[in-house]
Amino acid sequence: MRVVILGSGRGSNAEAILRAQAAGRLESARVVQIFSDQPDAGILDLGERFGVSARYLDPAPFKTKLEGAGESRYIAAIRECAPDLVVLAGFMRVIKLGFLDAFAGKIINLHPSLLPSFPGLDAIGQAWARGVKITGCTVHSVTAEVDGGPIIDQAAVRIEPSDTLETLREKVHAAEHTLLPSVIARLSKAVQPSPLPLTTE
Ligand code: GAR
C-alpha cells in the first residue's frame, strides 16, 4: 500500500509512521512521499533521516485552504506517486472538493480529540478549557465536512487532576503516535497487492 503523507508542522506523527515502518509494524504499507505546505516545517527533515522523498509543495494562493492553483499542484504531484492512501498528519489546511474527488475514499486525517467533540483548531486546548475528564485522538476518513468524516478508530486519554495543559498535550500526542501507525497497518491489509508484471527483465 503506497502511502503519501501531508503535514505542516514538526512531523512527530509522520516520524511515528516511519519508525513503525522501519520496525516492520506497518504490514504492507510503505511511505513513498512526504509533502509539506510549509517550507521550514520539521516534517521535511524526516526525508533525509528515513530515506524518503520529502519536499515543500507551494499551496498558494490561499492561506488556510487548498484550492485553485495550489490544489492542482498537489493533485498532480500526488497522482505521480500513485498512492493507495493519503495521510493528513497535521496538514493544517482545509481540503476542497477537487482534491477529495481526485483521491476519493483514500484520504485519512488525524485529529487530537475524540470527534465529534472539539473539531477545528487547538482541539487539545478546547478539551482542556472545557474541563472534560476524557479526551483523546481520532483517525477518520476525510469528507467535505471539516473533521466530520466517518471515524475509523480512536484512542482515549484520561485527564488526571495532576495534569497540566502541557502534560495533556504530551499524552494526546503519545496516543496519536500509536493510533495512526496501527490504523495504517490495518488498512494495508485490506489493499490488494499490485498486479504481478507479465514479463521478467
Ligand atoms: C497532531 O496533533 C494532529 O492531530 C494535529 O496536528 C498535530 C500535528 O503534529 N492535527 C490537527 O489538529 C488537524 N485538525 P505533528 O506535526 O507533530 O505530527
Side-chain angles (χ1 to χ4, degrees), residues 7-15 43 88-92 109-113 119-124 137-138 146-147 172-173 176-177:
S8 307
R10 64 189 176 128
S12 68
N13 285 284
E15 179 170 349
I43 193 171
L88 308 184
F91 191 61
M92 304 308 278
N109 180 48
L110 173 69
H111 186 77
S113 75
L121 293 176
D122 192 20
I124 302 174
C137 52
T138 301
V146 176
D147 297 332
V172 172
H173 291 316
E176 291 184 318
H177 298 163

Side-chain angles (χ1 to χ4, degrees), residues 60-152:
F62 300 103
K63 280 199 169 4
T64 58
K65 62 181 177 180
L66 194 62
E67 210 171 18
E71 181 184 63
S72 303
R73 269 191 296 276
Y74 272 74
I75 291 172
I78 295 171
R79 274 207 178 118
E80 277 183 28
C81 304
D84 300 298
L85 188 70
V86 178
V87 178
L88 308 184
F91 191 61
M92 304 308 278
R93 205 167 265 277
V94 176
I95 299 299
K96 295 295 188 176
L97 275 182
F99 190 95
L100 286 171
D101 285 348
F103 306 107
K106 293 182 176 175
I107 314 169
I108 62 171
N109 180 48
L110 173 69
H111 186 77
S113 75
L114 293 176
L115 290 171
S117 293
F118 312 121
L121 293 176
D122 192 20
I124 302 174
Q126 290 184 57
W128 177 259
R130 187 66 184 78
V132 296
K133 299 302 173 203
I134 296 177
T135 184
C137 52
T138 301
V139 178
H140 66 93
S141 299
V142 176
T143 62
E145 186 190 348
V146 176
D147 297 332
I151 290 169
I152 299 170

Side-chain angles (χ1 to χ4, degrees), residues 153-192:
D153 205 355
Q154 297 183 305
V157 169
R158 178 170 284 281
I159 302 177
E160 305 290 353
S162 57
D163 274 321
T164 63
L165 177 55
E166 204 37 52
T167 62
L168 178 60
R169 286 192 197 285
E170 285 165 16
K171 284 161 70 172
V172 172
H173 291 316
E176 291 184 318
H177 298 163
T178 303
L179 180 70
L180 185 55
S182 78
V183 167
I184 293 171
R186 217 177 317 142
L187 291 176
S188 82
K189 290 188 188 170
V191 170
Q192 297 296 317

